[in-house]
């Protein structure tokens, strides 16, 4: 038998054990002492301030690597692509020889929901580039910002102008009128143009420039009940004529067979007479309907007669028109065929007798009618001119106007216009901070002036209704951006404007700690509380602070996934629902981005370490893992949703780019360092919040602090001070970091308490070094709604199982667990792959690796037998109705400082299960015997632990000096015997120890603890 320690080291262990709070009767006092222990941070009395990105440099490591990938994308993406939609909306010319292709996805000219969110990603891009510029100083980023600022300034000036008629080469001789994508222009024809037509022919040359379904070549009607239209493509991509007096359900239809080509001329014609309608494309009949009972005359007087616009909210037609004609008769097939060879005026049909528009204008806003009827068309814009000169957007102001009368959301009509305004405003503010260009601030101030001009005219009830609508009323972090503008402008109207965005139903409920989150759209509401904190700073209204604080507690941890994210299909469910909602639309990345912003803001106010514990979890896992470890010239490669169901695969190119989450992904990747360090507002303290290789330049103290670490691949960090000054250095000890240690210039200092800040107060000198040890341990976190579904954490790192199966993987961890509660025995490191392990037959990897490998963020815990320290008790692991097991109860008390503490927990839990009728008494005895025989560490170390418990009790006054001395003498005899390998002699000393303890120890809890330890050691030696 061999023993690893000496008597001298035993005395050190005994002394160290004296500070651990596991002795019965002393636990409460010890926790209180720990809370007030020298070096732990006291309650905050001052606000903290983050450092600017320019004041913190990232060092080598995983964050710098991820950032470099995003910087490469930002450098290569042509920022002018974002200006195209803005310029089109303002009627500015787009030179195809200079202007690149438009940005796609949501930012596209004909993106999702008719492009109703255009401009938002532009703001994200500006913020990301501004952050990159601040962090790196690269002039390329400054130039990109300048291009966008200058471009947007030109756009705002042009938004108040009349539409501009533009021309292109026609199919026939001469020019054609060209309506550019995104201009919101169309041609309005006079009322009565189609009145009284019982038979008619419509014919035109068209060249669409966008493959937009339902875009109208012609549309006449009185809204969405009575109308007739010719669409370039229907929902199936085919040309379609329809006429109705009873809305969509009563349409009489002519449907073509083949889509009209984009960027190519086609001749289209519709004839209708009697009950027969025909549709022609390029002179060939493609559809006929002989049961049509309606004609324009049957529709009555029509107010709207449009070329290019729909009675519905369909995309406007984009493209060219030439030789548009309407006849009051149905032309023959031969006559229609003639129209494809030249202008109508040169054919046997002649120019249209009801309307004839050659479309050969070179300017102005009038489209001349040569039919003799004087029915000139007018080039108009759907929304007129802005209500205030500060308006700036890539789509019409009508989205904002329509929102004011909406009662239910419809993103095809209105899609979060104030959210878009926020992103543009914030991008401008970040651009101003980075470049100092006064145009950027002028644009931002004007945008706030415009918002005030609209919202100040509305009643509080209207505003409350607007902000409560999903998702049309979503406004993101607009309050933060408005208050930032207010900080520059000082205008009282801007502070009042920020108040207009109070969603009182949510803010008041949260201030009262009433959880009403179930069913709410998550990312629509998280930024409200960051704004509320800033409103608290400006107004002193306590409800804002209380609401933000309570809201955070409603999300963390009750609605939080293991990676730190929240939301399911963008919405919140009821509290404590995690296992039941694991699917491919979990953890929207924007939610994590905004929860980080809120957490850092709360921490700046209150310095509760829990905020930074959460920040670390979400940053090191979801946010890092939301960026793919690759570069693409067209995409930032960032996730929208993160599937957390078994076998999920991350999608790094959602919706073809330019989504909100790809935008926040760009921003996150260019500001990783923004919360590593904070400083007290009065300059008295520097907070080290996160363990990231970095250097902070603290001007207030003329000090530089460099953090050297490869964390999380290294379990700790080193801080080096350059310069000198008297201040507190406050180092966060994460809640997961049991056994943390801190040394200043090589000497141990303080008492690190998990979940607290260790304060080092001294006059710092150039060259001082602080070393922080943060041991990682494996822990399995149960989901609240199914304790068998668990995620695995290793220190701050969320480990995922790489496996393509789509059912939960069975995982056992207890059988190999050490008796102190350390589960690391279940992990086998993979050589050459840091933070990769094998366990239960699969490979585990850190979530932050941005791969497309299928993975399991959660596993199914399966612990069929009670095995303790590899000693099998032979007893099946019983479970309650809620699926928690006996072993779950035992290990929920971990970590255990020593064998007696573990045995005490084991006895207490098994007694409880026997009392509840869930465990037989005989099985309890078998479990207890297995626990006594299981190794905690070495037999020698377990004996040393007993001495430490006695030392602690003596120091606390619960053990007399005489009893303490006698117990120590007998234990030293046992230790000497163990050193000599004489187990029989050690057993005799242990029996004497037990006998003496029974006679001399008066404290029943202490006696039980000492007896458990001595009994267990005896059972183990008898083995």
């Amino acid at each position: 038998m061999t023993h690893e320690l000496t008597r001298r080291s035993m005395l050190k262990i005994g002394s160290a054990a004296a500070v651990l709070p596991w002795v019965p009767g002393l636990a409460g006092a010890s926790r209180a002492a720990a809370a007030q222990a020298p070096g732990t941070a006291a309650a905050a009395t001052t606000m903290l301030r983050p450092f600017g990105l320019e004041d913190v440099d990232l060092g080598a490591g995983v964050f710098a690597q991820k950032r470099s990938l995003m910087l490469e994308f930002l450098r290569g993406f042509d920022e002018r692509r974002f200006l195209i939609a803005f310029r089109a909306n303002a009627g500015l010319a787009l030179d195809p020889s200079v202007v690149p292709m438009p940005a796609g996805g949501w930012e596209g000219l004909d993106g999702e929901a008719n492009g109703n969110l255009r401009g938002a990603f532009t703001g994200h891009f500006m913020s990301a580039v501004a952050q990159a510029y601040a962090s790196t100083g690269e002039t390329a980023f400054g130039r990109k910002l300048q291009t966008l600022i200058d471009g947007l300034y030109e756009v705002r000036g042009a938004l108040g102008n009349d539409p501009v008629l533009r021309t292109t080469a026609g199919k026939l001789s001469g020019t054609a009128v060209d309506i550019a994508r995104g201009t919101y222009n169309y041609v309005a024809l006079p009322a009565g143009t189609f009145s009284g037509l019982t038979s008619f022919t419509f014919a035109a040359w068209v060249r669409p420039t966008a493959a937009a379904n339902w875009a109208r070549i012609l549309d006449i009607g009185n809204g969405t009940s009575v109308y007739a239209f010719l669409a370039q493509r229907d929902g199936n991509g085919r040309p379609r004529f329809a006429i109705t007096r009873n809305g969509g359900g009563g349409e009489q239809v002519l449907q073509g067979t083949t889509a009209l080509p984009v960027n190519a001329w086609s001749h289209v014609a519709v004839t209708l007479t009697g009950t027969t309608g025909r549709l022609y494309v390029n002179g060939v009949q493609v559809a006929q309907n002989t049961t049509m009972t309606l004609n324009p005359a049957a529709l009555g007087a029509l107010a709207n007669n449009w070329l290019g616009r729909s009675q519905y909210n369909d995309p406007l037609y984009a493209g060219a028109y030439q030789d548009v004609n309407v006849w009051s008769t149905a032309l023959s097939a031969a006559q229609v065929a003639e129209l494809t060879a030249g202008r109508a005026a040169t054919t046997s049909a002649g120019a249209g007798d009801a309307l004839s528009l050659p479309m050969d204008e070179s300017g102005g806003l009038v489209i001349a009618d040569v039919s003799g009827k004087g029915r000139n068309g007018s080039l108009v814009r759907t929304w007129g001119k802005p209500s205030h000169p500060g308006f700036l957007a890539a789509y019409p102001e009508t989205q904002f106007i329509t929102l004011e009368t909406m009662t239910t959301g419809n993103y095809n009509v209105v899609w979060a216009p104030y959210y878009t305004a926020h992103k543009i405003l914030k991008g401008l503010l970040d651009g101003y901070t980075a470049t100092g260009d006064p145009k950027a601030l002028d644009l931002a101030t004007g945008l706030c002036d415009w918002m005030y001009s609209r919202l100040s005219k509305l009643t509080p009830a209207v505003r409350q209704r607007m902000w409560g609508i999903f998702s049309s009323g979503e406004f993101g972090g607009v309050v933060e951006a408005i208050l930032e503008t207010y900080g520059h402008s000082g205008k009282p109207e801007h502070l009042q404007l920020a108040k207009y965005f109070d969603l009182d139903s949510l803010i008041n409920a949260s201030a009262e700690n009433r959880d009403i989150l179930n069913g709410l759209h998550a990312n629509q509401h998280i930024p409200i509380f960051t704004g509320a904190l800033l409103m608290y700073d400006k107004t002193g209204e306590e409800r804002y602070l209380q609401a933000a604080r309570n809201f955070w507690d409603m999300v963390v941890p009750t609605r939080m996934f293991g990676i730190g994210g929240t939301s399911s299909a963008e919405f919140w469910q009821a509290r404590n629902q995690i296992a039941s909602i694991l699917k491919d639309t979990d953890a929207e990345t924007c939610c994590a981005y905004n929860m980080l912003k809120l957490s850092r803001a709360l921490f700046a106010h209150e310095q509760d370490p829990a905020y930074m514990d959460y920040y670390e979890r979400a940053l090191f896992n979801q946010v890092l893992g939301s960026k793919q470890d690759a570069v693409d010239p067209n995409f930032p490669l960032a996730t929208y949703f993160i599937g957390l169901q078994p076998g999920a695969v991350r999608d790094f190119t959602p919706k073809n780019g330019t989504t909100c989450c790809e935008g926040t992904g760009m921003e996150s990747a260019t500001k990783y360092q923004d919360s590593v360090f904070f400083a007290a507002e009065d300059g008295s303290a520097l907070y080290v919040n996160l363990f990231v290789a970095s250097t902070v330049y603290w001007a207030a103290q003329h000090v530089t602090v460099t953090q050297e670490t490869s964390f999380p691949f290294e379990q700790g960090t080193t801080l080096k001070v350059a310069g000198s000054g008297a201040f507190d250095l406050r180092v966060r000890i994460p809640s997961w970091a049991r056994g943390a240690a801190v040394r200043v210039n090589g000497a141990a200092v303080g008492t690190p308490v998990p979940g607290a800040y260790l304060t080092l107060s001294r006059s710092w000198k150039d060259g001082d070094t602080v070393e922080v040890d943060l041991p990682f341990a494996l822990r399995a976190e149960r989901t609240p709604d199914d304790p068998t579904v668990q995620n695995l954490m290793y220190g701050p790192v969320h480990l995922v199982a790489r496996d393509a199966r789509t059912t939960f993987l069975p995982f056992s961890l207890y059988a190999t667990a050490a008796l102190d509660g350390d589960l690391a025995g279940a992990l086998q490191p993979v050589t050459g792959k840091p933070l990769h392990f094998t366990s239960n037959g699969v490979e585990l990897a850190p979530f932050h690796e941005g791969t497309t490998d299928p993975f399991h963020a959660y596993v199914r815990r399966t612990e069929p037998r009670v095995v303790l320290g590899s000693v099998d008790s032979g007893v099946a692991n019983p479970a309650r109705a809620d699926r928690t097991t006996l072993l779950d109860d035992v290990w929920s008390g971990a970590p255990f400082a020593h064998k007696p503490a573990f045995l005490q927990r084991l006895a207490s839990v098994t007694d409880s299960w026997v009392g509840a009728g869930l465990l037989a008494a005989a099985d309890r005895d078998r479990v207890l015997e297995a626990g006594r025989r299981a190794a905690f560490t070495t037999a020698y170390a377990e004996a040393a632990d007993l001495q430490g418990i006695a030392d602690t009790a003596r120091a606390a006054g619960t053990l007399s000096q005489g009893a303490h001395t006698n117990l120590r003498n007998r234990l030293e005899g046992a230790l000497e015997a163990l050193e000599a390998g004489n187990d029989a002699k050690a057993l005799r000393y242990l029996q004497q120890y037990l006998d003496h303890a029974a006679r001399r120890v008066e404290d029943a809890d202490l006696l039980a603890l000492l007896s458990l330890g001595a009994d267990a050691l005896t059972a183990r030696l008898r083995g």
Side-chain angles (χ1 to χ4, degrees):
M1 185 174 189
T2 59
H3 306 285
E4 300 169 2
L5 304 182
T6 65
R7 292 181 70 226
R8 184 170 298 172
S9 63
M10 179 278 291
L11 295 177
K12 290 182 180 178
I13 291 174
S15 175
V19 303
L20 297 175
W22 284 281
V23 178
L26 303 179
S30 298
R31 279 196 296 271
Q36 300 299 321
T40 56
T45 57
T46 186
M47 277 285 292
L48 302 186
R49 295 296 179 198
F51 288 90
L53 296 177
E54 67 278 6
D55 296 325
V56 183
D57 289 338
L58 272 182
V62 63
F63 286 97
Q65 292 164 8
K66 290 272 190 178
R67 184 181 70 173
S68 69
L69 297 173
M70 192 62 77
L71 293 181
E72 188 172 346
F73 163 75
L74 294 173
R75 290 187 195 102
F77 196 91
D78 191 334
E79 67 281 3
R80 295 175 300 164
R81 296 173 65 181
F82 295 117
L83 292 173
I84 294 174
F86 284 90
R87 292 180 64 84
N89 189 48
L92 291 171
L94 303 172
D95 184 347
S97 67
V98 175
V99 177
M101 64 180 294
W106 288 358
E107 207 72 2
L109 285 167
D110 46 1
E112 186 174 351
N114 302 331
N116 280 352
L117 209 67
R118 290 200 302 255
F121 192 85
T122 302
H124 284 296
F125 188 88
M126 290 184 73
S127 292
V129 170
Q131 291 169 176
Y133 188 41
S135 295
T136 68
E138 286 187 33
T139 57
F141 296 128
R143 286 195 298 268
K144 286 178 177 290
L145 276 176
Q146 200 63 60
T147 298
L148 289 167
I149 292 168
D150 291 344
L152 292 175
Y153 197 79
E154 182 186 5
V155 163
R156 188 183 68 175
L159 279 168
N161 297 337
D162 288 326
V164 177
L165 186 146
R166 306 197 185 282
T167 63
T168 186
K171 168 67 175 177
L172 309 174
S173 60
T175 61
V177 170
D178 190 31
I179 299 177
R181 294 166 65 194
T183 61
Y184 292 91
N185 292 345
Y186 67 101
V187 175
L189 302 174
T193 298
F194 290 84
S195 296
L197 296 180
T198 56
S199 297
F200 86 104
T201 299
F202 170 85
W205 281 100
V206 294
R207 190 190 65 186
T209 55
N213 288 352
W214 299 114
R216 306 293 205 256
I217 295 170
L218 168 72
D219 196 313
I220 61 176
N222 292 321
T224 57
S225 295
V226 178
Y227 57 79
F229 68 77
L230 174 60
Q232 65 177 47
R233 297 182 180 213
D234 64 5
N236 296 312
R238 294 178 290 183
R240 175 188 179 105
F241 174 82
I243 186 168
T244 181
R245 289 183 54 83
N246 193 30
E251 288 184 357
Q252 298 174 13
V253 174
L254 295 167
Q255 185 166 357
T257 56
T258 305
L260 299 183
V262 174
N263 294 318
W265 285 99
S266 298
H267 187 270
V268 292
V270 175
T271 68
L272 180 57
T273 185
T275 61
T276 301
R278 294 180 174 88
L279 174 64
Y280 298 84
V281 175
N282 294 324
V284 177
Q285 180 177 305
V286 295
Q288 176 177 292
N289 185 340
T290 59
T291 61
M292 301 183 77
T293 60
L294 296 176
N295 52 50
L299 301 183
L302 302 177
N304 304 323
N305 298 273
W306 296 331
L307 299 178
R309 184 178 180 182
S310 166
Q311 307 289 325
Y312 291 87
N313 191 44
D314 295 308
L316 271 72
Y317 169 82
Y321 284 100
Q322 191 175 36
D323 205 32
V324 177
N325 289 271
V326 178
W327 291 267
S328 59
T329 59
L331 300 187
S332 68
Q335 288 175 309
V336 171
E338 281 186 72
L339 297 176
T340 65
R343 290 187 179 273
T346 66
T347 69
S348 62
D353 62 332
L355 179 74
S356 183
L357 307 177
M359 293 278 193
D360 55 4
E361 282 75 15
S362 60
L365 301 177
V366 176
I367 311 297
D369 173 29
V370 298
S371 70
K373 298 293 195 300
R375 292 168 175 166
N376 296 335
S378 301
L379 182 70
V380 294
R381 186 162 59 187
T382 62
W383 58 286
K385 296 182 180 181
S387 62
H388 184 281
F391 176 71
L392 177 61
Y395 50 65
E397 191 178 359
T398 47
Q399 276 215 60
F400 299 89
I401 298 168
T402 303
L403 176 61
E404 295 167 6
T405 57
M406 290 180 72
T407 56
T408 58
N410 182 344
Y411 88 134
N412 287 298
V413 177
V414 173
W415 189 4
Y418 284 98
Y419 174 92
T420 307
H422 158 242
K423 293 316 306 176
I424 295 170
L425 177 59
K426 181 58 176 160
L428 290 166
L429 291 167
D430 290 341
Y432 173 68
T433 300
T435 66
D437 187 339
K439 293 194 297 295
L441 183 57
D442 183 59
L443 287 168
T445 303
L447 195 50
C448 288
D449 291 342
W450 165 77
M451 282 191 279
Y452 180 80
S453 75
R454 290 216 66 84
L455 295 179
S456 62
K457 295 180 176 64
L458 304 179
T459 66
V462 169
R463 291 193 296 266
Q464 292 299 313
R465 171 174 50 75
M466 287 164 57
W467 309 146
I469 298 174
F470 165 76
S471 63
S472 303
E474 182 175 357
F475 54 74
V478 73
V479 173
E480 305 164 50
I482 291 168
L483 291 176
E484 185 177 345
T485 309
Y486 171 62
H488 293 296
S489 71
K491 289 185 174 183
E493 302 96 311
H494 291 169
L495 179 58
Q496 184 60 49
L497 173 63
K499 292 181 180 179
Y500 287 154
F501 286 92
D502 281 0
L503 179 57
D504 289 333
S505 60
L506 180 62
I507 293 173
N508 291 341
S510 297
E512 297 162 7
N513 208 21
R514 289 186 289 110
D515 186 338
I516 62 169
L517 301 188
N518 188 16
L520 291 183
H521 182 252
N523 196 54
Q524 181 167 346
H525 296 93
I526 299 170
I528 289 174
F529 295 95
T530 309
L533 275 176
L534 296 180
M535 288 298 293
Y536 166 74
D537 294 338
K538 298 295 183 184
T539 67
E541 289 187 41
E542 193 70 25
R543 74 170 182 131
Y544 288 124
L545 174 62
Q546 194 62 45
R549 181 191 294 128
N550 291 342
F551 165 78
W552 193 90
D553 289 334
M554 294 172 192
V555 177
V556 181
T558 62
R559 292 181 171 93
M560 181 192 77
F561 298 109
I563 58 173
T566 187
S567 80
S568 180
E570 300 194 11
F571 287 80
W572 280 307
Q573 309 298 319
R575 296 167 72 99
N576 298 318
Q577 297 299 306
I578 298 296
S580 61
I581 61 173
L582 298 178
K583 53 178 170 296
D584 60 358
T585 54
D586 287 328
E588 184 187 354
T589 302
C590 279
C591 294
Y593 164 89
N594 279 309
M595 282 300 296
L596 288 188
K597 289 182 69 175
L598 175 61
S599 299
R600 76 194 293 267
L602 281 165
F603 180 77
H605 283 79
E606 299 187 333
Q607 289 87 73
D608 184 340
Y611 296 131
M612 278 299 155
D613 274 352
Y614 169 79
Y615 197 102
E616 176 184 72
R617 179 191 289 262
L619 178 67
F620 276 76
N621 295 291
Q622 173 156 1
V623 172
L624 264 187
S626 68
K627 172 70 186 88
Q628 188 173 11
D629 297 331
V631 176
D632 186 285
N634 294 306
F635 304 108
L637 299 182
T639 57
Y640 192 113
F641 296 119
I642 293 179
L644 296 175
Q645 79 280 17
V649 175
R650 269 171 269 185
D651 178 5
F652 292 103
T653 55
K655 295 179 178 286
N656 298 313
T658 68
T659 65
C660 54
C661 289
E662 289 163 291
T664 54
M666 291 189 304
E667 291 189 50
S668 292
T670 50
K671 63 170 185 175
Y672 287 137
Q673 74 270 38
D674 74 341
S675 296
V676 174
F677 301 97
F678 276 8
E681 202 170 43
D682 60 4
S684 62
L686 179 69
Y687 284 72
V688 182
N689 302 318
L690 302 169
F691 309 108
V692 176
S694 54
T695 299
V696 61
Y697 304 94
W698 190 15
Q701 284 284 358
H702 306 290
V703 163
T704 297
V705 177
T706 298
Q707 189 171 177
E708 296 179 351
T709 183
S710 60
F711 191 93
F713 302 103
E714 174 186 356
Q715 298 183 18
T717 190
T718 299
L719 301 162
K720 294 185 176 180
V721 178
S724 60
F727 58 87
D728 291 346
L729 185 67
R730 294 182 175 170
V731 181
R732 185 176 68 89
I733 308 301
S735 58
W736 49 261
R738 306 289 170 177
V742 177
R743 297 176 297 280
V744 176
N745 298 329
V749 294
T751 305
V753 176
Y757 276 74
L758 180 70
T759 300
L760 306 174
S761 300
R762 59 188 284 128
S763 293
W764 297 91
K765 296 181 177 59
D766 190 69
D768 280 348
T769 299
V770 179
E771 298 169 280
V772 184
D773 297 335
L774 300 168
F776 290 8
L778 177 66
R779 62 191 190 279
E781 298 175 335
R782 307 176 203 167
T783 58
D785 49 335
D786 185 345
T788 69
V789 176
Q790 302 181 3
N791 65 276
L792 303 178
M793 300 292 296
Y794 185 60
V797 177
H798 183 109
L799 295 176
V800 297
R802 294 258 175 93
D803 195 279
R805 283 172 283 180
T806 56
T807 56
F808 285 115
L809 303 179
F811 253 66
S812 172
L813 301 175
Y814 290 147
T816 55
L819 295 192
D820 63 356
D822 186 357
L823 301 175
L827 301 178
Q828 294 78 49
V830 177
T831 303
K833 298 174 72 174
L835 292 178
H836 282 244
F837 307 91
T838 56
S839 183
N840 289 265
V842 297
E843 182 176 358
L844 302 178
F847 181 87
H848 71 242
E849 291 185 351
T851 75
T852 56
D853 297 307
F855 68 94
H856 293 244
Y858 291 84
V859 297
R860 176 82 72 188
R861 280 296 290 279
T862 304
E863 307 285 355
R865 299 171 66 80
V866 178
V867 181
L868 303 169
S870 299
V871 176
D872 190 340
S873 70
V875 176
N877 183 25
R880 298 189 183 95
D882 67 359
R883 291 184 279 188
T884 57
T885 69
L886 171 72
L887 287 176
D888 290 335
D889 274 10
V890 171
W891 295 114
S892 66
F896 302 112
H898 37 62
K899 181 75 170 283
F902 165 74
L903 291 173
Q904 185 178 59
R905 176 70 180 181
L906 186 64
S908 172
V909 169
T910 53
D911 283 347
S912 172
W913 281 65
V914 169
L918 299 172
L919 182 70
D923 285 341
R924 173 197 57 196
D925 295 342
R926 294 163 69 189
V927 170
L928 292 175
E929 178 60 22
R932 284 192 291 268
R933 289 190 290 112
F936 191 82
T937 50
T938 64
Y940 194 95
E942 290 175 16
D945 282 340
L946 279 176
Q947 186 59 53
I949 294 168
D951 291 345
T952 301
R954 174 69 194 122
T958 58
L959 183 65
S960 69
Q961 180 63 56
H964 177 262
T965 299
N966 282 322
L967 287 173
R968 186 179 187 92
N969 289 340
R970 286 161 175 76
L971 194 56
E972 287 189 347
L975 286 165
E976 288 174 350
L978 288 172
E979 270 189 331
N982 190 337
D983 290 357
K985 186 175 181 180
L987 283 168
R988 289 195 296 275
Y989 272 109
L990 286 170
Q991 186 58 53
Q992 293 173 20
Y993 182 94
L994 282 165
D995 292 343
H996 185 76
R999 295 195 308 272
R1000 299 292 301 276
V1001 177
E1002 297 179 0
D1003 186 290
D1005 289 336
L1006 176 61
L1007 176 60
L1009 198 62
L1010 295 173
S1011 298
L1012 280 170
D1015 277 343
L1017 188 53
T1018 298
R1020 183 170 169 194
L1021 293 176
R1022 286 174 175 163

